[in-house]
Amino acid sequence: MDPVTMAAGSALVAAMATDAWQQARDGVVALWRRVHPERAEVVGGELEVLRTQVLEARQAQDPDTEQALEGVWRVQLQALLRRDPQAAGELRRLLDDQLDPVLNPGERERVHSIIQNATVSGGTSIQVGRDYHGNPPAPKA
């Protein structure tokens, strides 16, 4: 799955629990309106339901539900990008300009820890999503 899609799905769910949730909702609906206009209003309604689910999960101290909701929206955003790969730049701008600024520092750090990049030339790169306890492979002679 595209790292920006993963980060945007997580940021969207986190933003739904903030005072700026309407801004987050409007940004996502605008993206849908451009790429998949016939679904834009339905997505707007789904986002209203999402907010209720996120608030209930937080009140119940239920991080598993919140993670499941992130997964659902990651899949939806990924499907949107499959329909229009050029929308990836718009999704990135939505993440950077509308979703990210409304998150608290801890949530912002969590969302951005999802995005990993590596450029390797003639060597080995090890990227992991959690702690890595091991030795890198020996260089080939």
Side-chain angles (χ1 to χ4, degrees):
M1 183 171 280
D2 181 89
V4 172
T5 303
M6 292 178 62
S10 295
L12 174 62
V13 169
M16 287 295 145
T18 71
D19 292 336
W21 74 272
Q22 190 67 44
Q23 174 186 340
R25 178 200 175 282
D26 292 348
V28 173
V29 170
L31 178 60
W32 241 273
R33 191 168 286 120
R34 193 194 69 67
V35 176
H36 207 342
E38 66 279 5
R39 286 237 339 116
E41 293 309 313
V42 171
V43 167
E46 291 172 353
L47 291 170
E48 296 291 338
V49 172
L50 171 65
R51 181 170 194 261
T52 300
Q53 292 170 324
V54 169
L55 293 175
E56 288 172 354
R58 288 204 173 180
Q59 185 174 6
Q61 298 179 346
D62 181 3
D64 293 337
T65 295
E66 202 165 338
Q67 285 181 332
L69 293 169
E70 287 178 13
V72 168
W73 281 93
R74 287 173 177 171
V75 169
Q76 289 202 38
L77 292 167
Q78 187 72 34
L80 187 71
L81 294 186
R82 265 193 230 106
R83 183 176 178 108
D84 182 359
Q86 300 304 315
E90 291 177 61
L91 182 59
R92 181 64 196 218
R93 281 188 296 284
L94 175 67
L95 174 62
D96 291 343
D97 298 343
Q98 292 182 282
L99 300 176
D100 201 35
V102 303
L103 302 179
N104 69 46
E107 287 175 327
R108 193 175 305 125
E109 183 178 324
R110 183 180 66 82
V111 164
H112 284 283
S113 70
I114 293 170
I115 300 174
Q116 296 182 9
N117 295 307
T119 302
V120 179
S121 178
T124 300
S125 172
I126 298 174
Q127 286 186 279
V128 295
R130 300 259 330 170
D131 297 337
Y132 176 75
H133 302 282
N135 297 316
K140 295 182 180 181

